[in-house]
Amino acid sequence: MSQDPLVVFTPSGKRGRFAVGTPILTAARQLGVDLDSVCGGRGICSKCQITPAYGEFPKHGVTVHENALSDWNKVEQRYDDIRGLPKGRRLGCQATVQGDVVIDVPPESQVHKQVVRKRAEARDITLDPLVKLFYVAVEEPDMHEPSGDLERLIKALHEQWDLDDVKADLHILQSMQPILRKGDWKVTVAVHLGDVENPPRIMHLWPGYYEGAVYGVAIDLGSTTIAGHLCDLATGEVVASSGLMNPQIRFGEDLMSRVSYSMMNPTGAQEMTDAVREGLNTLFAQIASEAEIDTSLIMDMVVVCNPVMHHLLLGIDPFELGQAPFALATSDALRLRADDLNLSVHHSARVYLLPCIAGHVGADAAAVALSEAPDKSDDLVLVVDVGTNAEILLGDKTGVLACSSPTGPAFEGAQISAGQRAAPGAIERVEIDPTTKEPRFKVIGSDLWSTDPGFDLAIATTGVTGICGSGIIEVIAEMRMAGLVDAGGLIGSPEQTGTDRCFADGRTYSYRLWDGDGANGPIAVTNADIRAIQMAKAALYSGARLLMDKRGVDKVDRVVLAGAFGAHISAKHAMVLGMIPDCPLDKVTSAGNAAGTGARIALLNRGARAEIEETVRKIQKIETAVEPRFQEHFVNASAMPNAVDPFPILRGVVTLPDLSFNAGGGEGDTGRQRRRRRRG
């Protein structure tokens, strides 16, 4: 039996015996322990920090003495003097084995470290990006053994980092020689590690040891907004986030209007492609400025989007997506160069587009599936990504179904008379007293209710400017619970509702939510506003109900609301409107921007890309446009909450007045007056 010292690594539990004098980094590599290093053990990068533990360890069967590691050396002292090492830490490349020892590898020293997501039920991300940095020493040229500088650089990557079959772009050849000589034949190399289609490739060179970072960006390319998260590829940290309106909106607010634009204008598709690429480049400039980096340091990118945006980004005419059978040009994941898309980032940067699920269920839905993992759920979960085009997933470990439903932009404040984007001054929360019918509200930028002392002062800089998506959901649901609007969506008259906040507005009535302050006029909810929300929520519910039909169930165990808007929706108010199926309110949770999170997972973990490609192949796609029951569900779902589905769980929590304000069901003269006005 070997008498060499025993080295035990925690938290992995891996162990082995190593000769006295073996560097801890070498022992870790031989055992497959997750210990980081960029400089290859030269004492430069400090990525391999470890914490030795001393004393009795019965669990491991060892006693660790104070002299179990070699003495603190000059390299460690120099690093400690310049940057500081936490107390008790050593550099794994400098500390050598002298006796039995237990070594803890802290999270920040692990190659595949966990990037923690804040939600308790969310899976953490294991960091394993496709672009990494490697420090190498390259052999100098020798007249007696002639070979190219590139060949010797590739040889160094192989010998020092076990990287095989590495290739290089032309720009590397054009800049490599002066960089090698400036660094005295020592360089830091950014390498794209390759994938199923491409071998590893040198992306960038720095002379000597490069102490900075390289970045990737996760993009959620939506119909209305484009959101981006800039991530440090070495740590997984989101260093900046930014967003902007999709400039394609000028061609149409919804997807089908953009498809129509491309059909009716010979250059329409190309105009929209140019617009979205320009929008992305604007976003890159914004996000890089926020992080105070150069856009050339962005070397990897993941994009998720719906099928129409997918095609327009790629420069593909979406004509076929506008008619049955809604054929995609390709549904597979794509691995492209940023140059292919005229994107202003590093000229070797790569772009990964997640696979599309079906003609109307895109890479954004695939990203939601990656983030929320319904295929790994023990209970039946409905995941709804609320946006201009809602992506809906229903499933558990036995299988997942998916569909898309055209909700339109009403949930985001568009098509609403006082609607606006979520910005300071926008009403976002509403309560209405069911007895007095008096409202109170909160606006973005203040924690005070409108009835609280100091509210006017708190909003002095922003004022009350309109209603955002979450606000319009809450006010209509509150109106329904307070008896101001009936199940069919009609607002009652002052006589019917008992409040003069309901006022005649053309042929119908409106509800005055805010009286105005002189600078800004009053804000009201109109019957047209309610109708727009009814249409949007009916489309959303009908898609979910269709998936439930296919699954053969009448209820779900839990609901996850995804999307930036979904994060702000009140579960109770959404259910009062009938946006989502009846479910215990504590089983309705928010996932935030799950599509963006899925993009970030795919950016930071290369294995996740293969995982989602396999998952998408197993998802059963349902096309709502050709399902006969969709229209039936839509008509029933126009009522609040629903004309036929009873919502027993909801009704056990809230009271929904049984009213009808239509012309035939009005009280006294009001109904007759409204009936006469409609005839005229």
Side-chain angles (χ1 to χ4, degrees):
M1 180 178 176
S2 171
Q3 295 305 305
D4 289 337
L6 178 67
V7 181
V8 180
F9 288 93
T10 62
S12 68
K14 293 181 178 179
R15 58 173 59 205
R17 293 190 176 273
F18 295 90
V20 170
T22 302
I24 294 298
L25 178 60
T26 301
R29 284 181 171 174
Q30 291 182 14
L31 290 174
V33 171
D34 203 12
L35 181 58
D36 202 358
S37 174
V38 170
C39 71
R42 295 176 175 84
I44 299 173
C45 72
S46 81
K47 302 287 187 183
C48 63
Q49 293 181 30
I50 50 97
T51 305
Y54 301 98
E56 297 282 344
F57 295 91
K59 176 183 175 181
H60 302 303
V62 295
T63 299
V64 181
H65 301 288
E66 291 295 326
N67 60 354
L69 293 181
S70 58
D71 292 338
W72 182 263
N73 68 17
K74 292 180 180 178
V75 174
E76 291 171 300
Q77 187 61 54
R78 184 179 71 241
Y79 185 86
D80 192 31
D81 290 342
I82 297 172
R83 297 180 192 168
L85 273 173
K87 186 174 176 59
R89 290 276 180 90
R90 299 288 304 271
L91 295 182
C93 63
Q94 300 301 309
T96 63
V97 176
Q98 301 297 317
D100 293 347
V101 66
V102 174
I103 299 292
D104 182 64
V105 180
E108 59 268 32
S109 297
Q110 296 170 18
V111 178
H112 304 103
K113 56 181 71 74
Q114 295 289 304
V115 180
V116 178
R117 295 168 63 189
K118 294 180 181 178
R119 287 168 37 239
E121 75 277 13
R123 298 177 302 149
D124 292 339
I125 305 169
T126 300
L127 187 62
D128 186 18
L130 267 165
V131 178
K132 293 185 179 179
L133 299 179
F134 301 92
Y135 178 77
V136 294
V138 181
E139 289 180 11
E140 296 186 36
D142 186 337
M143 290 181 64
H144 300 291
E145 294 184 17
S147 63
D149 287 350
L150 176 62
E151 286 69 34
R152 280 179 278 104
L153 173 59
I154 290 172
K155 179 182 177 184
L157 287 167
H158 170 71
E159 291 179 346
Q160 295 166 39
W161 291 102
D162 294 324
L163 293 176
D164 297 322
D165 194 31
V166 178
K167 308 297 181 185
D169 292 334
L170 177 60
H171 75 87
I172 294 294
L173 283 171
Q174 293 167 338
S175 62
M176 173 186 62
Q177 292 191 306
I179 293 173
L180 284 169
R181 285 151 182 82
K182 183 178 179 180
D184 193 23
W185 301 98
K186 297 178 181 65
V187 291
T188 304
V189 190
V191 179
H192 185 284
L193 297 174
D195 49 44
V196 295
E197 296 178 4
N198 305 288
R201 189 167 292 269
I202 297 170
M203 304 187 75
H204 199 88
L205 296 174
W206 293 268
Y209 178 66
Y210 171 65
E211 299 189 54
V214 293
Y215 300 90
V217 62
I219 300 290
D220 180 6
L221 177 54
S223 311
T224 306
T225 57
I226 307 174
H229 303 288
L230 183 72
C231 300
D232 183 325
L233 293 178
T235 66
E237 177 189 3
V238 178
V239 296
S241 296
S242 190
L244 48 76
M245 294 289 287
N246 187 332
Q248 288 183 344
I249 279 185
R250 66 178 181 267
F251 302 105
E253 285 189 333
D254 58 63
L255 295 175
M256 285 303 103
S257 62
R258 294 180 205 175
V259 173
S260 296
Y261 184 85
S262 75
M263 290 177 175
M264 293 186 290
N265 296 274
T267 61
Q270 188 59 51
E271 289 176 54
M272 289 186 283
T273 292
D274 293 342
V276 74
R277 292 178 180 178
E278 288 167 13
L280 284 171
N281 286 331
T282 300
L283 178 65
F284 299 146
Q286 283 181 194
I287 209 168
S289 175
E290 182 182 333
E292 299 182 337
I293 68 161
D294 194 278
T295 53
S296 64
L297 289 173
I298 299 175
M299 297 190 182
D300 200 11
M301 188 185 311
V302 171
V303 180
V304 301
C305 49
N306 60 58
V308 173
M309 293 310 310
H310 175 277
H311 280 38
L312 289 172
L313 172 63
L314 296 173
I316 300 169
D317 192 319
F319 175 82
E320 295 297 338
L321 294 174
Q323 58 186 356
F326 315 109
L328 290 155
T330 179
S331 58
D332 284 348
L334 294 174
R335 296 165 177 85
L336 308 170
R337 290 176 57 107
D339 285 353
D340 296 334
L341 305 176
N342 299 321
L343 300 180
S344 300
V345 289
H346 191 281
H347 38 73
S348 283
R350 296 312 197 256
V351 181
Y352 177 77
L353 274 76
L354 269 69
C356 288
I357 297 176
H360 283 162
V361 189
D364 47 0
V368 172
L370 179 59
S371 172
E372 299 309 305
D375 58 311
K376 296 178 174 63
S377 176
D378 290 320
D379 51 8
L380 186 63
V381 57
L382 179 75
V383 185
V384 183
D385 189 359
V386 187
T388 309
N389 206 54
E391 314 283 357
I392 308 169
L393 302 168
L394 176 69
D396 56 19
K397 287 180 176 178
T398 66
V400 178
L401 299 96
C403 75
S404 172
S405 204
T407 53
F411 287 145
E412 295 173 326
Q415 300 176 345
I416 303 300
S417 59
Q420 69 163 84
R421 305 291 298 165
I427 295 173
E428 64 170 343
R429 299 286 315 281
V430 179
E431 289 182 355
I432 298 176
D433 187 302
T435 303
T436 66
K437 319 299 183 186
E438 287 297 301
R440 68 174 191 155
F441 55 82
K442 285 185 177 182
V443 300
I444 296 174
S446 172
D447 291 329
L448 297 178
W449 287 96
S450 58
T451 52
D452 290 340
F455 174 78
D456 291 339
L457 182 62
I459 64 162
T461 57
T462 63
V464 181
T465 54
I467 312 176
C468 68
S470 61
I472 197 67
I473 296 297
E474 292 203 8
V475 70
I476 295 175
E478 287 284 325
M479 289 171 68
R480 176 75 180 92
M481 289 186 287
L484 297 168
V485 63
D486 64 18
L490 279 177
I491 299 173
S493 67
E495 296 82 7
Q496 290 169 319
T497 60
T499 176
D500 61 5
R501 284 193 172 275
C502 292
F503 61 93
D505 187 4
R507 298 189 174 208
T508 56
Y509 293 94
S510 294
Y511 175 76
R512 191 174 65 259
L513 177 61
W514 183 59
D515 297 328
D517 59 5
N520 295 295
I523 291 176
V525 179
T526 70
N527 247 125
D529 295 338
I530 293 177
R531 189 63 178 160
I533 292 297
Q534 281 180 287
M535 295 300 96
K537 73 95 177 179
L540 184 63
Y541 183 85
S542 301
R545 198 69 185 82
L546 196 61
L547 296 188
M548 293 166 67
D549 289 347
K550 294 291 182 181
R551 184 66 187 244
V553 298
D554 290 320
K555 61 185 181 67
V556 298
D557 296 318
R558 59 188 178 95
V559 176
V560 176
L561 296 172
F565 170 56
H568 301 284
I569 298 175
S570 154
K572 180 180 78 173
H573 293 95
M575 207 170 290
V576 166
L577 291 188
M579 285 176 60
I580 54 177
D582 197 34
C583 182
L585 293 180
D586 62 353
K587 294 294 185 180
V588 182
T589 59
S590 168
N593 184 6
T597 300
R600 190 160 62 93
I601 294 171
L603 177 70
L604 297 176
N605 184 286
R606 51 182 169 161
R609 303 185 185 190
E611 176 187 338
I612 193 55
E613 289 171 31
E614 177 63 24
T615 298
V616 164
R617 282 192 283 270
K618 296 177 181 176
I619 291 176
Q620 182 182 350
K621 302 86 175 172
I622 306 299
E623 179 51 67
T624 58
V626 297
E627 287 289 339
R629 291 209 67 190
F630 182 82
Q631 189 60 34
E632 176 189 338
H633 286 313
F634 186 90
V635 171
N636 292 331
S638 298
M640 296 184 290
N642 196 281
V644 295
D645 292 344
F647 280 73
I649 298 173
L650 173 68
R651 291 181 186 275
V653 178
V654 302
T655 300
L656 298 178
D658 186 13
L659 326 145
S660 175
F661 296 142
N662 65 31
E667 297 178 5
D669 294 336
T670 305
R672 289 192 293 275
Q673 289 169 359
R674 290 179 65 189
R675 186 161 59 248
R676 284 197 297 271
R677 281 162 54 190
R678 280 177 179 156
R679 286 172 179 165

